[in-house]
Amino acid sequence: MATNGTHSHPLFGGSFSAVLPPNSIDVSDIREIPDNQEVFIHSKTDQSIIIELLEHQSQVPDQDAARYHFDDVTTSNNATGEEGSEILSVEPVSGDQIALQELSSAWFLTGRQRVAKFNEQARNTVTIHLALFRLPQYSTDILITFNDPTIISPLSSSTGAESALTGGTSSSPVQHWTLEHFQTAVQSFRLLDPAVFT
């Protein structure tokens, strides 16, 4: 079922909520997803948003934590090596900009990776926007990642989504997700039941 992008959507069995972008499809309706993840894809493009509850990395200082998790995503995406990934910006997020108040710090990172899909050889350029919420009292780091493909290889199986990313046809324009959609999801993210951490 696709969301309309205006109402809070329950996450992790109702333990959290957030306003998701329009045309979000819950991947758990299609295939099995790990218990610590919520994954949503755009109904027309290759864009996705992943929300993860991860172990708090106490050995990593707050100012380095977003880079640490980005590097972990880089390894998971097999985007290592020359020109595989780069970090464009990292900045702290002030508490008055977000609904989640239980955190010790929040960070916003923008980076870029060249990622192959489904073990293909062709690599697509994906802009990655990453929000990190640190909750050491719950031994948890919460990672919200927006994967936004910007250059699709003509040899990739994602080529069908490329016309959608560029706006679709004139008769059926596609509203692709924007940075503002992602920021709304991040800013509206709330903890409703701390029992999720026990």
Side-chain angles (χ1 to χ4, degrees), residues 134-152:
R134 308 209 81 191
L135 289 78
Q137 73 274 32
Y138 297 121
S139 300
T140 301
D141 284 347
I142 300 176
L143 196 65
I144 306 178
T145 307
F146 172 32
N147 298 294
D148 185 17
T150 51
I151 301 174
I152 305 293

Side-chain angles (χ1 to χ4, degrees), residues 82-150:
E82 187 176 348
E83 299 182 0
S85 73
E86 62 178 325
I87 293 173
L88 304 176
S89 65
V90 182
E91 57 192 45
V93 180
S94 63
D96 60 356
Q97 294 180 305
I98 48 181
L100 186 67
Q101 295 301 304
E102 292 79 5
L103 44 74
S104 65
S105 69
W107 300 83
F108 193 83
L109 179 149
T110 298
R112 190 179 294 124
Q113 294 182 359
R114 297 188 69 241
V115 181
K117 188 175 181 181
F118 305 130
N119 298 317
E120 297 174 349
Q121 292 299 313
R123 290 185 176 270
N124 303 320
T125 300
V126 180
T127 298
I128 294 179
H129 301 287
L130 182 152
L132 173 65
F133 298 141
R134 308 209 81 191
L135 289 78
Q137 73 274 32
Y138 297 121
S139 300
T140 301
D141 284 347
I142 300 176
L143 196 65
I144 306 178
T145 307
F146 172 32
N147 298 294
D148 185 17
T150 51

Side-chain angles (χ1 to χ4, degrees), residues 64-87:
D64 298 330
R67 292 175 182 271
Y68 174 90
H69 286 291
F70 180 82
D71 289 344
D72 195 48
V73 171
T74 300
T75 301
S76 297
N77 287 341
N78 195 24
T80 56
E82 187 176 348
E83 299 182 0
S85 73
E86 62 178 325
I87 293 173

Side-chain angles (χ1 to χ4, degrees), residues 3-11 17-22 24 49 180-190:
T3 62
N4 61 10
T6 57
H7 301 292
S8 286
H9 184 87
L11 301 165
S17 69
V19 176
L20 298 174
S24 297
I49 288 179
E180 288 71 28
H181 286 126
F182 176 63
Q183 289 171 333
T184 296
V186 170
Q187 291 166 355
S188 65
F189 187 81
R190 293 178 185 274

